Amino acid sequence: MNESATRLAEQGVGSIFLYTHEAHPGENYPPHRTMEDKAKCAQGMRDVYNVNRPIYLDDVAGALHIQFGGMANMTWIFNKAGVPLYKSRWTDAKSAENAATYYLDVQARRKNRERLAPFMVERIDYRDVNKEKRLEGLGRAGQKAVDDWVKLYEQDKLFFKPGTDPGA
Amino acid sequence: MNREEQILDYNYNDFDDNALGHVMKWQGNQPPLGKPAPDFPLWKLEEDGKTLTETTLKTVLKENPLTIVEFGSFS
């Protein structure tokens, strides 16, 4: 998402990272009990993954995260008035950039006084799946994070399947 | 649940069926698209990695015509 955020920033699109709970707690990144715990983990993520976007922390009890769906790595896009326009249960840079580019075009058309009405659309997008890379990332959090993930992976409970929920 | 119980419930120890079905509720009572979302407090992690500056979601969203919000964590 870093590269995408940089490209979109040139067009006036903001990007932030909203730090939630540890979805896969491990020995190195254990469950948070305080905001200080959360800040320490967030800084670790910024250092290791070179996150170039402003990082904001949700409350330690996850009030915002839970309200918006609680998924481990979801993305939402909002307009300036705080209206959500797009939500994705998983983060994918191409999907989010595609949507943001579309909404920029809508805003430009409105400035040109085109008469536009909103409508709902549903779609399936696709993301990269790389098990080795995923395990490498979880390994940084700790062996427990790996073991918990593998357990559910082997039970085939980790990926969205049409018609089922919650999936991840 | 009291505050302490909420913190323990949300920050679970194990990524398991409970986490999948209890915390991750995509089809829950989310704010609808197209209508102003409720506001929430947020804390900006400053560059020193320790200082937290309190703000709100709406305040952050006002800074740009569009804002992409990625939710996640280290793990």
Side-chain angles (χ1 to χ4, degrees):
Chain A
M1 291 288 278
N2 282 347
E3 294 82 5
S4 175
T6 300
R7 277 193 300 275
L8 289 168
E10 294 169 1
Q11 301 174 70
V13 177
S15 296
I16 68 168
F17 192 98
L18 204 153
Y19 206 87
T20 62
H21 58 175
E22 296 306 322
H24 307 279
E27 295 83 348
N28 304 325
Y29 285 82
H32 314 143
R33 297 292 177 255
T34 65
M35 290 300 282
E36 288 73 24
D37 294 343
K38 198 163 186 156
K40 186 178 176 185
C41 291
Q43 182 58 28
M45 183 195 69
R46 180 150 63 189
D47 289 343
V48 171
Y49 292 106
N50 298 312
V51 175
N52 65 354
R53 291 156 280 158
I55 297 174
Y56 290 87
L57 276 57
D58 187 12
D59 169 63
V60 71
L64 188 159
H65 184 211
I66 292 169
Q67 179 71 70
F68 281 81
M71 301 303 286
N73 191 208
M74 59 184 181
T75 287
W76 289 65
I77 299 177
F78 298 83
N79 68 14
K80 196 170 190 172
V83 174
L85 303 172
Y86 163 101
K87 62 178 183 179
S88 172
R89 61 192 297 152
W90 196 262
T91 291
D92 178 80
K94 287 183 180 176
S95 175
E97 187 168 349
N98 180 54
T101 302
Y102 175 82
Y103 295 125
L104 285 171
D105 182 61
V106 167
Q107 291 180 347
R109 291 164 65 193
R110 282 195 161 147
K111 279 186 181 173
N112 286 334
R113 298 181 180 275
E114 285 189 42
R115 296 183 67 185
L116 302 172
F119 65 97
M120 289 294 293
V121 57
E122 293 185 61
R123 55 184 282 171
I124 297 284
D125 280 6
Y126 294 83
R127 64 184 174 96
D128 291 331
V129 178
N130 184 324
K131 184 181 176 186
E132 288 69 32
K133 194 174 176 183
R134 187 76 186 101
L135 290 174
E136 182 185 331
L138 289 168
R140 293 192 184 107
Q143 188 58 44
K144 176 173 169 41
V146 174
D147 294 342
D148 284 355
W149 188 89
V150 168
K151 188 175 178 181
L152 290 186
Y153 177 85
E154 291 177 344
Q155 294 173 24
D156 195 23
K157 291 181 176 176
L158 290 182
F159 298 100
F160 170 75
K161 299 170 191 67
T164 68
D165 199 74
Chain B
M1 277 193 283
N2 63 33
R3 170 83 176 162
E4 188 175 342
E5 290 168 337
Q6 288 173 347
I7 291 170
L8 292 173
D9 187 58
Y10 174 62
N11 296 284
Y12 48 76
N13 290 315
D14 306 305
F15 178 65
D16 56 13
D17 286 321
N18 177 60
L20 281 179
H22 177 59
V23 177
M24 299 179 184
K25 289 184 174 177
W26 184 251
Q27 303 290 4
N29 188 29
Q30 296 171 315
L33 299 180
K35 292 186 176 179
D39 202 10
F40 286 89
L42 287 178
W43 289 263
K44 184 178 184 183
L45 182 66
E46 301 295 351
E47 291 302 317
D48 65 6
K50 294 177 182 174
T51 305
L52 296 174
T53 304
E54 187 168 0
T55 181
T56 68
L57 176 65
K58 285 195 174 181
T59 302
V60 174
L61 298 178
K62 282 178 185 171
E63 293 178 8
N64 293 286
L66 292 171
T67 302
I68 297 175
V69 181
E70 178 183 4
F71 291 72
S73 67
F74 186 97
S75 61

